[in-house]
Each structure stands twice: as structure tokens, then as C-alpha cells.
């Protein structure tokens, strides 16, 4: 993944000011609570526009305030797995999975849906409603829903934080398998050092909205194209 980010954003008293480039396929983001980790993911996903700067992933321009480019979230093809799963409780597991597929907009899935279901071990859950699932089951389905959307980039925001040790030990290897089998670039946020070290090629530590450490050293990137169907001009 060629990742190029330079953003400055103000939300009340909080200021996010981050700038870095990386060629790592899996980036781990860590730091104390309130440091801006989730804010950063939201800027990448497009649910929160940057106040100033740019976001470029593998040469695709997601946002560039200087050129008035802001690609909407549905055109970025970014999968997002939240800490609490955020499944639709009134839908079955199968319906939640195919909701993710709707966002692929006709693109071929990275693999057959049956393979995704088998990899995550959720075939026996397909006809159950999401509201009755355990925390670990919900996170498996949430990962599956993101994969069904055939994303070019996968964001995970502390997906194991609400689980006990046993559930974490089950799902962490699954995330590693998803990373390896589907070769989808991954940005993984966590407070847990063992998760970060298990998954990430590079670790970014932020505090107070600023980068304070990174391992290993950065690799410079180059080249770009605008992501999505069209540029969005917000000057009007």
C-alpha cells in the first residue's frame, strides 16, 4: 500500500495534525485514548472531511483540499470494522453480509462468498438474527460484511477491545488470515501491543493528535490518480 497523508483538523478543543507516508501493507495505529486514532480512520474512510491537506491511498486521491477534491465514502471502496460491530440487529447474518456486497456495486468479489463464510466460521449463523449473537460472533460477521464489499482498503478500529481473552485469541488469527489470504491493505487501530505486533508491518504511535513515534523508518511513495467516479468540488 502506498499511503500518503497530510491532514490538519480541528474538532472543538481537539487538534489533529498528522503527516506521514508509508509503503507498508499493514499499518498499526496505537496511542492513548483521545489521541485521534478513530478520527484518523474517519478521515480516511471519508465520514469526516479533513480541514486541510490530503489523503492518498495507492496513488488514488481520496481528499485534497488544495484542489477541492473530496471523494464520498461510497466511492472510496473502504471496508470499516468497528469496535462494536455495528450490525443491523433486525437482519439475519446472511442479510448483513449481503448488505456489504451491495457496496461492491457489481465488482467481482475478492473470492466466493462461501470462502469468506468458511474462513470466518460463520456458516452455521447465516439464518440467525444479529441481535442474538455473542460479541465474538458479531465481530466475525462484521469482518465478513466488510470483505463482501470487495474493499481496496480495510480499516479496523479496535475490533477486539470488547472481547474476553478467549474470544480475542480466536479472532486475532482470523484477522491475520484475512490479511494474508486476501492481500487487502489494512490499517489496524488498537491499544493492545500484542495485536499490533502480530499484524502490523509498521507501527504509528500518535498522542494529542500528533505523530510521536513510528517503526520502522518511512518509505517514500510516488504517483497518484483521483479515486472514485469524479472529483467533488465544494467551493460552490
Amino acid at each position: 500500500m502506498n499511503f500518503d497523508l497530510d491532514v490538519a483538523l480541528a474538532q472543538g478543543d481537539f487538534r489533529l495534525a498528522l503527516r506521514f507516508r508509508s509503503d507498508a501493507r499493514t499499518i498499526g495505529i496505537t496511542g492513548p485514548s483521545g489521541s485521534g486514532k478513530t478520527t484518523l480512520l474517519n478521515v480516511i474512510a471519508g465520514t469526516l472531511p479533513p480541514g486541510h491537506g490530503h489523503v492518498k491511498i495507492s496513488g488514488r486521491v481520496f481528499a485534497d483540499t488544495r484542489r477541492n477534491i473530496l471523494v464520498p465514502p461510497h466511492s472510496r471502496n473502504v471496508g470499516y470494522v468497528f469496535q462494536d460491530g455495528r450490525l443491523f440487529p433486525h437482519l439475519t447474518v446472511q442479510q448483513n453480509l449481503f448488505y456489504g456486497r451491495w457496496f461492491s456495486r457489481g465488482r467481482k468479489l475478492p473470492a466466493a462468498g462461501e470462502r469468506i463464510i468458511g474462513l470466518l466460521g460463520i456458516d452455521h449463523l447465516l439464518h440467525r438474527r444479529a441481535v442474538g449473537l455473542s460479541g465474538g460472533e458479531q465481530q466475525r460477521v462484521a469482518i465478513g460484511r466488510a470483505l463482501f464489499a470487495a474493499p481496496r482498503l480495510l480499516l479496523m478500529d479496535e475490533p477486539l477491545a470488547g472481547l474476553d481473552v478467549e474470544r480475542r485469541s480466536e479472532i486475532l488469527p482470523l484477522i491475520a488470515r484475512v490479511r494474508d489470504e486476501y492481500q487487502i491493505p489494512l490499517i489496524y487501530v488498537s491499544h493492545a501491543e500484542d495485536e499490533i505486533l502480530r499484524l502490523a508491518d509498521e507501527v504509528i504511535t500518535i498522542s494529542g493528535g500528533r505523530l510521536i513515534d513510528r517503526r520502522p523508518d518511512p518509505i517514500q511513495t510516488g504517483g497518484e490518480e483521483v479515486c472514485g467516479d469524479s472529483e467533488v468540488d465544494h467551493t460552490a
Side-chain angles (χ1 to χ4, degrees):
M1 175 175 67
N2 304 130
F3 185 84
D4 180 356
L5 180 137
D6 184 356
V7 296
L9 173 69
Q11 288 187 306
D13 294 332
F14 178 75
R15 299 290 186 273
L16 179 72
L18 289 174
R19 179 182 181 183
F20 64 91
R21 294 182 177 184
S22 176
D23 271 350
R25 184 163 60 88
T26 301
I27 298 176
I29 306 289
T30 190
S33 296
S35 60
K37 302 185 297 297
T38 298
T39 299
L40 173 61
L41 291 193
N42 290 338
V43 169
I44 296 169
T47 58
L48 184 65
H52 176 76
H54 63 257
V55 178
K56 304 173 185 177
I57 307 294
S58 296
R60 302 182 184 95
V61 181
F62 283 2
D64 189 330
T65 58
R66 182 177 57 84
R67 293 188 285 168
N68 297 313
I69 298 171
L70 184 61
V71 176
H74 67 270
S75 294
R76 298 191 183 196
N77 195 23
V78 173
Y80 204 148
V81 179
F82 303 92
Q83 180 176 334
D84 56 1
R86 299 196 187 182
L87 303 177
F88 296 104
H90 62 291
L91 299 181
T92 66
V93 166
Q94 181 170 291
Q95 290 168 332
N96 270 281
L97 292 173
F98 276 84
Y99 183 86
R101 186 174 182 179
W102 182 84
F103 283 100
S104 67
R105 302 172 66 185
R107 289 185 295 270
K108 184 178 179 181
L109 293 176
E114 291 79 5
R115 182 183 172 200
I116 296 173
I117 291 168
L119 172 65
L120 297 172
I122 55 176
D123 52 307
H124 64 294
L125 302 174
L126 293 179
H127 300 294
R128 289 179 54 183
R129 293 193 182 276
V131 69
L133 302 180
S134 69
E137 290 169 340
Q138 288 184 27
Q139 288 306 89
R140 288 171 184 254
V141 175
I143 295 169
R145 182 175 64 181
L147 292 177
F148 261 65
R152 294 191 180 100
L153 170 67
L154 191 59
L155 307 178
M156 291 190 169
D157 189 6
E158 301 195 60
L160 309 184
L163 305 179
D164 59 33
V165 174
E166 185 176 357
R167 299 289 86 75
R168 287 179 67 247
S169 66
E170 290 176 357
I171 297 180
L172 186 58
L174 287 177
I175 296 174
R177 287 186 64 189
V178 165
R179 174 202 61 192
D180 296 338
E181 293 193 23
Y182 289 98
Q183 297 290 302
I184 301 172
L186 170 64
I187 299 180
Y188 189 92
V189 166
S190 179
H191 288 286
E193 185 175 0
D194 62 321
E195 295 176 26
I196 293 288
L197 294 179
R198 172 74 179 273
L199 297 172
D201 303 314
E202 180 172 0
V203 180
I204 302 292
T205 303
I206 63 178
S207 181
R210 296 181 179 276
L211 190 154
I212 61 171
D213 186 39
R214 65 184 302 181
R215 297 167 286 165
D217 291 335
I219 302 173
Q220 297 300 310
T221 65
E224 66 180 52
E225 64 182 68
V226 174
C227 171
D229 300 326
S230 62
E231 297 183 7
V232 180
D233 191 333
H234 289 265
T235 59

